Amino acid sequence: MTDLLRILPDFPTARYANLLPTIEREGLTTADLLTLQVPDIGKRTQLPLLDIKRLCAAVLEALHVDLGVSDKQQQKQPKDDNGGKGAEKATSPGALKRTGTELLAEPTRYISTLDPDLDLALGGGVPAGYITEITGESGAGKTQFLLTLLLAVQLPPPHGLGRPALYISTEAPLSTRRLSQLLSHNPFFQSLPASSKPTLDNIIGTVTPDLESQDHILTFQVPVEVARRNIGLLILDSVAANFRAEYDRGASSSANLAARSTALLNLGLHLHELARKHNLAVVVANQVADRFSGSSFKGSSAAQPFSLPRVSQESPLAKRSKGGLGTPVHLSGWSVDPPSSGTADLVRSSMPEPTPEEAPAPPALLLDHQQRWFTGWGDAYPYPYSSSHYGSSEQNLKTPSLGLVWSTQIAARVALWKRPVYGRKEVLDDGEGESTTTLRNWRRWMKVVFAPHVAGSGPGLDGAVEFEVTMGGVRGVDKDKGKRGKGKRKGNEEEEEEE
């Protein structure tokens, strides 16, 4: 309930002083009061149902008044110059602050990546007023994108916002050496006059080594800096580091997960409020984790499809659809017996066992099925089980950190993929030549998983844009000219260790 006064500063809390402490102690938010049933809230708080119903109705009515869609008039009594109360000002009922047509007509400003291919895939660049996440493995190029945005935001429209940037790091400090390198070698900056070039003076950086300092900086210091300096870009690199260190220690108890979910919701709400209020772009970098499922296809006819009880993650609704533990679950001719103590889960079928390509899709309520629309790596079913697409089963299956709770807080997710490129190296031994496979380089791709302003890419690498990291930043690879496969680019060696 700690977000009530932030959402509705004028809410009359004194009338419900006997209810709010208990609701706050139980961790209920304003969204919970609007979405949960009154009996469910009563079970958690042990408060009278009638009082809870009145509180929920009051919160809903206050939101309607704040939006201007209530039949009641909102009365304001501003003080005049003499200290007295002036005339009451009533807002007309049914008048929205901004209509849907006005919102659509309002132009969205973008921050460019300074590469036309990448900007085209992003629908113009990184939009202002939204939370955009850039996720990928270590070395996929996340930091290179972020550093480029720190300089591009200082450019005038249409390439930037003409405003300074704020960089908050939870791991390594800001690399000013790499920023200077981008300024010196990027072709776009080289074409600008000296007076119009971005500078490091317009980039504010800080480091938050733990979650407590991160919350303090974001809650108290960042709003002041944003308003004082007219910040146009806020970067948090990375959002998962402090949460992993704070909540992943010890056993993953339900209380620990609930506390982390609440903290993530508050963080998302705060960042969204900053982006909307100040029309700035919020960009967060996120880590990924390896995804393991119960399936284990080896390419043989005896391979089994996924085992329903073994699936690593599932949505809450999936549990309800399974029924009791003593009831087998039937799916496309397969029957899955309930797990029994001391015995492994068995999957039996009266039909011939399918090949990996013919395996049935997971049930729609399982998270392993749902996440293909919002993770960027789980969207290629049945490709994760097909050796023809990835080269081996379950290769490159990743999941962005912080789970589904954090995914609901962001407006856009951009996933960066990388894949090794191997070459041949001749090794002379006793006069005989031996061919050895060595790692030569990395290939990288960028794909839009979901976004409000541009359509997402297709499954796997369909629609993804290949790019490379150079001395001047990130640059799209021209497939027609066949740049790849001819050795390392000049300047790539120095960026491999940057990120």
Side-chain angles (χ1 to χ4, degrees), residues 302-353:
Q304 297 175 345
F306 59 90
S307 173
L308 195 60
R310 293 182 185 178
V311 175
S312 58
Q313 301 181 79
E314 61 185 25
S315 66
L317 292 178
K319 299 179 180 179
R320 304 179 187 176
S321 65
K322 292 183 181 180
L325 291 178
T327 305
V329 179
H330 299 276
L331 174 65
S332 302
W334 293 83
S335 64
V336 182
D337 291 339
S340 58
S341 58
T343 60
D345 303 332
L346 299 178
V347 179
R348 302 185 181 91
S349 174
S350 59
M351 302 172 60
E353 295 182 355

Side-chain angles (χ1 to χ4, degrees), residues 132-450:
T132 302
E133 179 194 87
I134 299 178
T135 182
E137 304 175 67
S138 176
K142 299 188 299 295
T143 299
Q144 304 304 318
F145 268 88
L146 299 179
L147 295 180
T148 303
L149 294 176
L150 287 175
L151 298 174
V153 69
Q154 304 178 37
L155 300 173
H159 296 94
L161 306 179
R163 297 157 65 182
L166 177 59
Y167 182 86
I168 301 176
S169 175
T170 60
E171 296 173 299
L174 179 63
S175 177
T176 55
R177 174 179 174 271
R178 176 59 177 153
L179 286 171
S180 301
Q181 193 177 71
L182 294 177
L183 283 172
S184 302
H185 294 85
N186 190 284
F188 187 88
F189 296 142
Q190 292 177 353
S191 63
L192 296 176
S195 59
S196 302
K197 286 186 178 181
T199 64
L200 301 187
D201 295 336
N202 288 329
I203 301 176
I204 307 169
T206 185
V207 179
T208 58
D210 51 60
L211 192 59
E212 182 179 0
S213 61
Q214 174 182 315
D215 291 341
H216 177 82
I217 290 176
L218 288 173
T219 304
F220 299 102
Q221 298 183 18
V222 168
V224 175
E225 291 295 323
V226 167
R228 178 184 300 172
R229 301 177 183 269
N230 192 25
I231 298 295
L233 173 65
L234 171 62
I235 289 181
L236 180 59
D237 183 17
S238 70
V239 68
N242 287 333
F243 280 95
R244 279 180 164 179
E246 181 73 19
Y247 292 104
D248 288 356
R249 294 176 298 183
S252 298
S253 61
S254 58
N256 194 28
L257 293 177
R260 192 185 80 163
S261 298
T262 302
L264 286 173
L265 290 174
N266 292 333
L267 174 62
L269 177 64
H270 182 60
L271 293 179
H272 175 71
E273 183 180 1
L274 287 174
R276 178 188 56 82
K277 181 179 179 180
H278 300 279
N279 194 29
L280 58 86
V282 176
V283 180
V284 297
N286 195 6
Q287 303 168 357
V288 296
D290 293 321
R291 181 163 63 88
F292 302 97
S293 64
S295 59
S296 180
F297 288 133
K298 301 301 180 183
S300 63
S301 59
Q304 297 175 345
F306 59 90
S307 173
L308 195 60
R310 293 182 185 178
V311 175
S312 58
Q313 301 181 79
E314 61 185 25
S315 66
L317 292 178
K319 299 179 180 179
R320 304 179 187 176
S321 65
K322 292 183 181 180
L325 291 178
T327 305
V329 179
H330 299 276
L331 174 65
S332 302
W334 293 83
S335 64
V336 182
D337 291 339
S340 58
S341 58
T343 60
D345 303 332
L346 299 178
V347 179
R348 302 185 181 91
S349 174
S350 59
M351 302 172 60
E353 295 182 355
T355 61
E357 288 75 10
E358 299 173 350
L365 292 180
L366 288 182
L367 187 59
D368 280 350
H369 173 73
Q370 297 176 4
Q371 67 180 351
R372 62 178 179 167
W373 285 284
F374 60 83
T375 63
W377 280 264
D379 61 353
Y381 186 86
Y383 293 141
Y385 311 106
S386 174
S387 59
S388 62
H389 187 79
Y390 284 114
S392 61
S393 63
E394 299 196 18
Q395 179 181 351
N396 291 337
L397 290 181
K398 307 291 181 180
T399 296
S401 299
L402 306 180
L404 182 59
V405 174
W406 172 248
S407 298
T408 60
Q409 303 303 306
I410 58 178
R413 168 168 284 164
V414 178
L416 304 182
W417 291 34
K418 72 172 185 177
R419 183 176 297 175
V421 176
Y422 295 98
R424 291 288 184 180
K425 180 181 179 181
E426 295 295 331
V427 179
L428 298 178
D429 185 14
D430 297 334
E432 298 181 359
E434 296 182 358
S435 180
T436 305
T437 302
T438 59
L439 178 63
R440 187 178 62 189
N441 204 346
W442 291 95
R443 295 183 66 182
R444 298 179 174 92
W445 291 266
M446 183 205 74
K447 62 177 298 185
V448 178
V449 183
F450 58 84

